Amino acid sequence: CFANTPCDARLIPDVSVPTFSLSLHPEYRDATDKMFCGSDYQDAVSTCEAGDETAQSMHCPDGACPEGKTCFIEMPCSYFVMTNPLANPLADVSEMEVAVEGLPDPDSDEAHYFCGLDALVAESGCSSATWCRSGTDQECPNGESCFAWIESCEINAIVKREYEEAVANGEDYSFEGVAVAQGAGSGKGSGNVPSVAA
């Protein structure tokens, strides 16, 4: 297998390119991420591999452990994976809080402008790709118009849904300058939850 070739797998038909990689996260690459306490090595392994709250409490990035335990390095466990929902592409996105900033108020007219050949098509196919922020036809593909107040479509809710689907599939997500970022919230089982921020 040769690295740094001039080929791009993304351009090859019928080739699936994985988009999720833990190595992209600096927290995962940090050596302290794999440090856990145990009465001996095997105890540290069995404890950390459980991945529960006890395992998380045995994380020792500063080398400090409860009395009678030792901090072991290069363990086959990751504190980042245990605690960050973005580390797991199969995480239950329904348990993640997603906040959207930089988009119009959900109750505003602007949040309900969508392109389509007619209003029914605009409603049935609404997505972030068909949103026409300005309310003008110039934002729509040729032959389509920008329809106002498509009641069942709202851009904030659409961006949230698309983001959650991307996370579930281990994919990155961005939309017209609205990019994925870490944010504080009340996601179950984690101190950090994904948010969509301008």
Side-chain angles (χ1 to χ4, degrees):
C1 181
F2 296 93
N4 301 317
T5 69
C7 304
D8 189 337
R10 295 170 297 180
L11 304 179
I12 302 174
D14 302 320
V15 172
S16 177
V17 181
T19 58
F20 178 81
S21 175
L22 281 171
S23 63
L24 295 176
H25 297 277
E27 299 95 330
Y28 181 79
R29 297 195 305 269
D30 191 322
T32 62
D33 179 59
K34 316 298 187 303
M35 297 170 62
F36 289 88
C37 299
S39 55
D40 54 36
Y41 180 80
Q42 189 54 50
D43 176 60
V45 171
S46 60
T47 299
C48 78
E49 286 185 339
D52 54 14
E53 291 183 2
T54 300
Q56 294 171 29
S57 70
M58 290 296 103
H59 184 226
C60 50
D62 57 359
C65 290
E67 186 176 352
K69 294 184 181 293
T70 303
C71 185
F72 293 88
I73 64 173
E74 298 181 357
M75 300 294 291
C77 310
S78 165
Y79 183 77
F80 174 72
V81 170
M82 293 179 192
T83 59
N84 196 311
L86 290 181
N88 184 359
L90 301 180
D92 185 355
V93 296
S94 66
E95 296 183 350
M96 299 178 186
E97 177 183 304
V98 181
V100 180
E101 298 177 3
L103 292 175
D105 186 283
D107 295 324
S108 68
D109 290 345
E110 184 184 359
H112 296 268
Y113 292 154
F114 290 90
C115 299
L117 294 172
D118 55 42
L120 290 177
V121 172
E123 182 175 16
S124 63
C126 59
S127 69
S128 62
T130 66
W131 181 47
C132 40
R133 179 192 298 264
S134 68
T136 63
D137 296 345
Q138 284 77 8
E139 287 194 63
C140 299
N142 289 339
E144 295 189 8
S145 301
C146 183
F147 291 88
W149 200 254
I150 303 298
E151 187 172 358
S152 63
C153 302
E154 193 279 305
I155 190 60
N156 289 272
I158 288 171
V159 169
K160 285 184 180 182
R161 185 189 70 241
E162 292 177 350
Y163 171 72
E164 290 171 349
E165 290 172 351
V167 170
N169 292 325
E171 300 169 351
D172 294 328
Y173 181 82
S174 64
F175 166 64
E176 292 189 0
V178 179
V180 174
Q182 291 289 335
S186 56
K188 182 177 180 181
S190 172
N192 290 322
V193 294
S195 64
V196 181

